[in-house]
Amino acid sequence: MASLNKVILIGHLTADPELKQTPSGVSVTSFSIGVTRRYAKQGEQSQSDFISIVAWRQNAEFITKYFKKGNAICICGSLQTRTYDATDGSKRYVTEVVVDEATFVERKSDRTDDGAMPGFSNTKGDAPKFEEISGDSDLPF
């Protein structure tokens, strides 16, 4: 029987992610994101869940370079559970999302006055230039 383990989350980072290295030099970061629940009881404020995330290698480097506390992020990955023995001898259980992809979440209100995302500069303020193709005969397919 086939199985599927796919998680897609959009939330806000609860703290600045910190890039670390394993003893063998592999980049890793662990952080959490707050994800607001879709529904709230009438008259009550929305609740949030705080989801543990771990990213490895290029994903870890990308996230720590471009995301800070409070930034919205979209995470696509898989759910993983693991156990370990704590220093006091007790067994600990961890459930976390392992990142396959991390992307920006953009709303118009997130943009700065020059149209760039916060933390990025749009020095020209110009839209990208595209080459117009005159007819179907020029298409490669």
Side-chain angles (χ1 to χ4, degrees):
M1 176 177 226
S3 61
L4 176 66
N5 182 353
K6 184 75 170 179
V7 176
I8 302 172
L9 299 167
I10 295 177
H12 292 84
L13 278 78
T14 61
D16 289 347
E18 183 181 332
L19 187 64
K20 297 182 180 180
Q21 304 285 326
T22 65
S24 61
V26 177
S27 298
V28 62
T29 187
S30 296
F31 57 95
S32 65
I33 62 173
V35 179
T36 304
R37 294 181 186 171
R38 290 183 80 170
Y39 302 102
K41 293 180 182 179
Q42 190 170 2
E44 291 186 11
Q45 195 170 15
S46 295
Q47 299 290 312
S48 293
D49 293 302
F50 297 92
I51 313 292
S52 296
I53 311 288
V54 63
W56 295 90
R57 298 175 182 78
Q58 290 88 357
N59 285 324
E61 293 166 8
F62 171 74
I63 291 167
T64 56
K65 183 174 181 180
Y66 293 110
F67 292 90
K68 301 292 178 218
K69 179 180 180 177
N71 289 154
I73 190 170
C74 178
I75 298 291
C76 298
S78 57
L79 197 61
Q80 170 181 286
T81 58
R82 60 186 172 88
T83 61
Y84 67 94
D85 294 324
T87 54
D88 65 2
S90 64
K91 188 168 284 264
R92 302 289 171 98
Y93 298 89
V94 178
T95 301
E96 58 199 358
V97 174
V98 179
V99 176
D100 292 327
E101 299 173 56
T103 57
F104 297 103
V105 176
E106 180 180 323
R107 294 185 314 228
K108 197 169 190 173
S109 63
D110 290 339
R111 292 181 173 268
T112 60
D113 290 339
D114 68 355
M117 289 292 291
F120 296 88
S121 63
N122 184 358
T123 55
K124 294 186 179 183
D126 297 332
K129 304 291 185 214
F130 295 99
E131 180 181 342
E132 187 173 326
I133 298 176
S134 60
D136 289 345
S137 62
D138 292 340
L139 296 176
F141 50 89

